[in-house]
Amino acid sequence: MKNLVVLYGGDLTSHAFEKVFGSESAFERVLNWASNFSDKIILFLKDSSPVSGELSSIISKNPKIESLSHDSWTKSLFISEISSSLKKYEAESAIISWADTPFLNEKLTSDLIEMHSKYSAEYTFADGFPYGFAPELIESGTASILSELCKTSLKAEGDKAMDREAVFSVMRGDINSFEIETLISDLDYRLLRFNFESSSKINFLACKNLYDEAQGQKIDFSDAYALSNLAAKSPRVMQTLPAFYNIQISSKYNHKYCYSLEAAGKNPASKDFMDFSDFQKILSQIKDFSESAVISLSAFGEPLLNPEFLNFALEVINQNDQSHKIPLLIETDGLLVNQELASKISEAAKSKNAEVNWIIYIDSVEKFMYAGLHNCPDSDFEKALASIPLLENHFEGHVYPQFMRMKTNENQLESFYRFWKEKESPSKGQLIIQKYNSYCSSLPDLKSADLSPVNRLPCWHLRRDMTILADGSVPFCFQLAFEQNAGNVLTHGIEAVWEKFSQVLKEHLLLVDELNSEKSDGKSADNKCGICDESYTFNF
């Protein structure tokens, strides 16, 4: 056997079995694709799968499928089982994909196989295409070598939980030792961050909407470029459901940062704190509507100032279950962090297998710059720093000291980076360098460098973010949070409010085309999107 198709189905959700692609599901489309390239399909599963019934029914009808199951999967185990399967069937290479990607392209796959064989590659992949359009290939001997390296020099990476970049992320640790070939797209779609897979409701709807639009416009599904170009122009594909909810549970601050709207007197909040009962109602709506999404606390305020902050954090964590992954992001100055608070949140997160990330505003390498930027006593600098090792002890690898990059502190950027990037630092190498935001010129222009792309991209925040203020009102844009209102989730509901975003995105896409035209100067005097440089930034 020349090639063996290996599919990972350990994290399949019910969305992978919804028959919305004509009469087929995403899983069935993957199996049809796989049948064209191998007489045997190896399907990796988990012992306790929430979709075991659907899997059993389909597997029993397809003699090509051989399933292999474990209680859990690491990257090392995944690569080891690929190697074993290749040896068992005496196959030269494995064609690898996840089992929930309905747009795997036969021509791209054939081109990859040809390239892999022609250049005697050890690993071959496609780059620049939307995720889910092409598989990856690994040669049998290389899989065996990589499996052994996962037990020795690459053990740290190999022991990590299985993810969609498992093979390459391990190989990257010793990348110069392998012969790698890349099929590069003529057009680069990576900046659009398409994920055409069915693990979440958000990405599943993008797949469904792309299929429906392609059918309606009679697009040839075998043409990867036609399908990609359609996705890049379709509001229904670009904007499905919110994936990031920035919720204001407090409108109060410990510090008046020079880079906050509060410092400019532009935070006319209707109330100091969100009511916990209102927050519970909002979370229930989010869980029903998006299924999985990041919850960030707190937009335009210090979340820990809310007297019930712990209850807010625990409420988010408790939403997590087998069908709902709802990570919690806490952005704070760190002054009110203490051992008891960190311990209670950490224990709850572990019990629910929930992800919790912390961002701590540091912005400096010494107390005098910190005090000037934060308009606070310089003694607060040590308090903020002390919160980082405390949190790191409870949330290993999920604590990020942040540096707001501005003209004012640009001379400390390198020192900040060099200190915090070290694995011996209090954050164990984690940090964030945040670009300065003037909120469409509402604040002084303190930007130290223009990092915006040459061509304007559709706004990420219109596509995937929703900001909810303390009274439940929702602005169309974080940049204009107190100027333009899409409605109130407590009175109108999240779904009704989000529907209003679709028309705004359509108008925005027209503006993007205008701004990218040869006649444009890249700005638009009558539309604040024209002077905004936040459209390309991406939240957790």
Side-chain angles (χ1 to χ4, degrees), residues 180-291:
I180 298 175
E181 291 296 330
T182 309
L183 179 64
I184 300 176
S185 171
D186 294 340
L187 296 172
D188 191 350
Y189 299 96
R190 290 175 299 178
L191 287 176
L192 296 174
R193 296 181 185 242
F194 287 128
N195 283 305
F196 291 119
E197 42 91 353
S198 307
S199 65
S200 68
K201 184 178 179 182
I202 291 169
N203 290 335
F204 168 71
L205 284 177
C207 293
K208 177 183 180 301
N209 291 345
L210 178 57
Y211 180 88
D212 291 344
E213 296 221 349
Q215 286 282 81
Q217 297 187 32
K218 295 183 169 47
I219 299 292
D220 184 356
F221 283 96
S222 67
D223 188 338
Y225 289 105
L227 208 56
S228 300
N229 291 335
L230 175 62
K233 293 294 183 181
S234 169
R236 293 181 64 236
V237 176
M238 286 193 162
Q239 183 191 65
T240 54
L241 300 171
F244 182 87
Y245 290 87
N246 200 4
I247 305 178
Q248 184 187 44
I249 66 169
S250 166
S251 64
K252 298 297 182 182
Y253 291 87
N254 286 316
H255 296 161
K256 283 192 174 183
Y257 317 102
C258 68
Y259 50 80
S260 71
L261 287 174
E262 176 79 4
K266 297 182 178 180
N267 189 352
S270 62
K271 55 195 306 184
D272 292 345
F273 305 116
M274 177 177 282
D275 297 331
F276 181 61
S277 59
D278 286 343
F279 184 73
Q280 290 178 304
K281 294 173 186 175
I282 291 170
L283 270 188
S284 177
Q285 289 188 58
I286 290 172
K287 190 174 181 179
D288 290 341
F289 189 49
S290 292
E291 285 189 1

Side-chain angles (χ1 to χ4, degrees), residues 414-433:
E414 183 176 355
S415 298
F416 182 94
Y417 178 79
R418 287 183 179 278
F419 175 78
W420 291 105
K421 75 164 185 172
E422 296 298 328
K423 294 298 182 184
E424 296 75 25
S425 77
S427 68
K428 303 297 188 292
Q430 302 283 31
L431 75 154
I432 291 175
I433 306 298

Side-chain angles (χ1 to χ4, degrees), residues 342-458:
S343 179
K344 288 181 177 179
I345 294 175
S346 174
E347 289 173 6
K350 289 175 182 176
S351 70
K352 299 291 287 187
N353 193 27
E355 180 181 334
V356 179
N357 292 289
W358 295 78
I359 295 176
I360 313 297
Y361 306 142
I362 302 298
D363 304 320
S364 174
V365 295
E366 46 84 11
K367 62 183 180 181
F368 299 112
M369 176 66 76
Y370 177 89
L373 296 175
H374 287 221
N375 293 298
C376 69
D378 57 32
S379 58
D380 281 357
F381 182 59
E382 294 300 328
K383 294 178 184 177
L385 288 178
S387 71
I388 295 173
L390 186 158
L391 290 169
E392 177 63 25
N393 286 335
H394 293 279
F395 306 91
E396 185 177 356
H398 292 273
V399 182
Y400 301 84
Q402 178 172 283
F403 185 95
M404 181 66 73
R405 185 183 181 188
M406 301 174 285
K407 293 175 182 177
T408 319
N409 61 356
E410 180 73 9
N411 63 340
Q412 297 193 5
L413 173 61
E414 183 176 355
S415 298
F416 182 94
Y417 178 79
R418 287 183 179 278
F419 175 78
W420 291 105
K421 75 164 185 172
E422 296 298 328
K423 294 298 182 184
E424 296 75 25
S425 77
S427 68
K428 303 297 188 292
Q430 302 283 31
L431 75 154
I432 291 175
I433 306 298
Q434 177 76 4
K435 72 170 285 297
Y436 176 74
N437 180 9
S438 71
Y439 295 93
C440 294
S441 299
S442 294
L443 298 178
D445 183 10
L446 299 178
K447 183 171 59 179
S448 59
D450 186 0
L451 304 175
S452 56
V454 175
N455 289 319
R456 180 69 65 109
L457 296 170

Side-chain angles (χ1 to χ4, degrees), residues 452-508:
S452 56
V454 175
N455 289 319
R456 180 69 65 109
L457 296 170
C459 179
W460 275 112
H461 308 292
L462 278 177
R463 289 176 58 186
R464 67 185 299 275
D465 297 357
M466 179 181 284
T467 298
I468 303 175
L469 302 181
D471 63 354
S473 60
V474 176
F476 281 114
C477 176
F478 186 80
Q479 298 292 89
L480 308 171
F482 306 102
E483 297 181 27
Q484 300 178 2
N485 198 311
N488 189 299
V489 295
L490 293 171
T491 54
H492 306 115
I494 281 180
E495 185 172 358
V497 171
W498 184 245
E499 284 179 4
K500 295 182 180 179
F501 279 70
S502 60
Q503 182 57 40
V504 175
L505 180 64
K506 290 176 183 177
E507 294 170 2
H508 174 77

